[in-house]
Amino acid sequence: MALEHAILVSLLEKPGSGYELARRFERSIGYFWTATHQQIYRVLKRMEADGWIDVREVPQQGRPDKKEYSVSGYGRTALGEWLHEPIQPESVRHELAVKIRGAAFDDPRALIGEVRRHQRMHRDQLEHYLAGERRDFGAVDAPPCDGVRPDAGRELQHAVLRGGIAYERMMIAWLDDVLDTLHRLGPGR
Amino acid sequence: MALEHAILVSLLEKPGSGYELARRFERSIGYFWTATHQQIYRVLKRMEADGWIDVREVPQQGRPDKKEYSVSGYGRTALGEWLHEPIQPESVRHELAVKIRGAAFDDPRALIGEVRRHQRMHRDQLEHYLAGERRDFGAVDAPPCDGVRPDAGRELQHAVLRGGIAYERMMIAWLDDVLDTLHRLGPGR
DNA sequence: TACTGCATGTAAGATGTTACATGATTAC
DNA sequence: GTAATCATGTAACATCTTACATGCAGTA
């Protein structure tokens, strides 16, 4: 029941159409919460019916008109309430871990290519995050100047991005470990 | 479409009933793939109908009879095929990350307690993993003796466990970073 | 007597995925 | 002309979650 809330956060950061939200869920917020455009349109309708968001028809030239959604006061309250609720344990799905354990019943070395492929994807994602960090948060971490209030949104987005970076680095290192293990084991049973 | 395969792996490691599988999905394999007993019973039925698993009625004394499932040759083939398929990108859901970004539109400091709670849970999970590692894989990493074939299943389970350990350590460190950030930001807008 | 563990299920509803559908503009 | 981008949706199906349901044995 949190796609609604992810959408609220995204619309508070910047109002936009269903299409634009779908694009954001392919990057940025999508690194921590995925959704397809079909889901988004369905949920936007419900949120509008519930009064969490307002719509504004935006006529455009050279491209189809769009509906720009923004968060209503009511939606903001709903987000606040959600923020104060404790999170319940998330359901985990690490398909690669299941495959690694399954490899014991097959030829373990057959997984090597797949693990390498994943490692490459994680390296790419890390590069992507680091490029984003350089672009959006600069290379130097300037110490906060006295009297200058740090921008909470920016700081928090950066903190989340640092989490993504730490995750990718951890995965790359772990997959090195897995590759070592797979190489040590001979051909399967 | 991978709960089937997680069940195949678990049943290959050790045959068992639906109830026992449900318990395993609360520990061990459950650290990488979650499932409730309702899901498990439903999928076991389908797998049996598809001939992936065999059932054996086991009468018991002092407790209800159970159905012990084990993987058939056909199921083993299905697992092998799945192992050779490339994994497609998994859908991510990090509710805490969404909340952290959302905190910019509320009082960031209100999240501190929740973040601390998560950090405690990750510390507990780390302790749990480390205890399991000591118990199941011993404190010393004995160098492989010549001629002694390492047990693939054991080695791979250990590799997956090391992944869990690395993940928890990364999360604990990142949440320290997040706590620093939340403290630096004053009360919300 | 009440609770916990073992053991198996059904049913309803929410959510997520995949495929289909339309139509204009812009770039190659 | 062909493909990609912008923009919005519907429909069917699969999966997941939550609640309900049963019944016996052992323990506090």
Side-chain angles (χ1 to χ4, degrees):
Chain A
M1 197 64 124
L3 175 53
E4 279 92 334
H5 301 104
I7 289 177
L8 285 177
V9 171
S10 194
L11 288 180
L12 279 168
E13 287 175 354
K14 194 172 192 312
S17 67
Y19 185 85
E20 281 160 358
L21 281 168
R23 302 233 51 211
R24 289 182 211 171
F25 276 92
E26 285 166 9
R27 341 171 246 102
S28 135
I29 194 120
Y31 299 140
F32 323 105
W33 204 272
T34 50
T36 60
H37 81 271
Q38 293 90 336
Q39 272 177 278
I40 290 165
Y41 283 119
R42 201 205 295 147
V43 171
L44 280 174
K45 243 177 211 162
R46 186 167 62 217
M47 290 170 77
E48 199 200 330
D50 292 347
W52 288 17
I53 51 177
D54 299 318
V55 204
R56 195 170 61 98
E57 289 275 347
V58 180
Q60 295 188 116
Q61 284 173 337
R63 44 177 74 179
D65 297 350
K66 66 173 177 176
K67 299 182 188 168
E68 197 184 67
Y69 294 96
S70 53
V71 178
S72 68
Y74 206 66
R76 217 186 161 102
T77 308
L79 181 71
E81 279 166 18
W82 176 72
L83 285 173
H84 290 270
E85 277 168 25
I87 293 171
Q88 45 195 22
E90 311 193 30
S91 60
V92 191
R93 250 120 239 234
H94 290 318
E95 202 171 347
L96 192 57
V98 178
K99 280 204 177 185
I100 290 168
R101 273 171 77 147
F105 306 99
D106 198 87
D107 179 0
R109 291 182 314 179
L111 252 187
I112 289 175
E114 178 72 355
V115 172
R116 284 220 185 96
R117 195 174 66 88
H118 278 256
Q119 205 181 34
R120 269 197 304 278
M121 293 190 301
H122 286 289
R123 274 196 239 273
D124 290 347
Q125 189 64 52
L126 175 61
E127 269 319 305
H128 183 73
Y129 283 161
L130 290 173
E133 189 182 34
R134 278 189 300 269
R135 189 187 61 241
D136 296 336
F137 304 102
V140 260
D141 267 84
C145 309
D146 280 345
V148 174
R149 187 93 187 296
D151 176 346
R154 225 176 102 81
E155 290 293 323
L156 290 169
Q157 282 186 30
H158 193 184
V160 170
L161 180 58
R162 287 195 301 270
I165 290 169
Y167 177 75
E168 299 305 333
R169 288 194 166 131
M170 187 269 321
M171 284 299 285
I172 291 164
W174 174 58
L175 291 178
D176 265 333
D177 177 7
V178 170
L179 284 171
D180 280 351
T181 307
L182 290 173
H183 281 293
R184 268 210 322 280
L185 301 169
R189 39 190 50 246
Chain B
M1 198 60 126
L3 175 54
E4 280 91 333
H5 301 103
I7 288 176
L8 285 177
V9 171
S10 193
L11 288 179
L12 279 168
E13 289 176 353
K14 195 171 189 314
S17 67
Y19 185 85
E20 281 160 359
L21 282 168
R23 303 234 50 211
R24 288 182 212 171
F25 276 91
E26 285 166 8
R27 337 170 250 105
S28 135
I29 195 121
Y31 300 138
F32 323 105
W33 204 272
T34 50
T36 60
H37 80 271
Q38 293 90 334
Q39 272 177 280
I40 291 166
Y41 284 119
R42 198 203 304 138
V43 171
L44 280 173
K45 241 175 213 166
R46 186 165 65 217
M47 291 170 77
E48 200 201 329
D50 294 347
W52 288 18
I53 51 178
D54 300 319
V55 204
R56 195 171 61 95
E57 290 273 348
V58 180
Q60 294 187 117
Q61 285 173 337
R63 45 176 75 178
D65 297 350
K66 65 174 179 178
K67 299 184 189 169
E68 197 184 70
Y69 293 95
S70 53
V71 178
S72 68
Y74 207 65
R76 217 186 162 102
T77 309
L79 181 70
E81 279 165 19
W82 176 72
L83 285 173
H84 290 270
E85 277 168 24
I87 293 170
Q88 46 195 23
E90 311 191 29
S91 60
V92 191
R93 251 121 241 232
H94 290 317
E95 203 171 348
L96 192 57
V98 178
K99 280 204 178 186
I100 291 168
R101 275 172 76 148
F105 306 99
D106 197 86
D107 179 2
R109 290 183 315 179
L111 251 188
I112 289 174
E114 178 73 355
V115 172
R116 284 221 184 97
R117 197 174 66 87
H118 278 256
Q119 205 181 34
R120 269 197 303 279
M121 294 192 299
H122 285 289
R123 273 197 240 272
D124 289 348
Q125 188 65 52
L126 175 61
E127 268 320 305
H128 183 74
Y129 282 162
L130 290 173
E133 189 181 34
R134 278 191 299 271
R135 189 187 62 240
D136 297 336
F137 303 102
V140 261
D141 266 84
C145 310
D146 280 345
V148 175
R149 188 90 187 295
D151 175 346
R154 226 175 101 81
E155 290 294 322
L156 291 169
Q157 282 187 30
H158 194 184
V160 170
L161 180 58
R162 288 195 300 271
I165 289 168
Y167 177 75
E168 299 305 332
R169 289 196 165 128
M170 187 269 319
M171 285 299 285
I172 291 164
W174 174 58
L175 291 179
D176 265 334
D177 178 7
V178 170
L179 284 172
D180 280 352
T181 307
L182 290 174
H183 280 293
R184 268 210 323 280
L185 301 170
R189 39 187 52 245

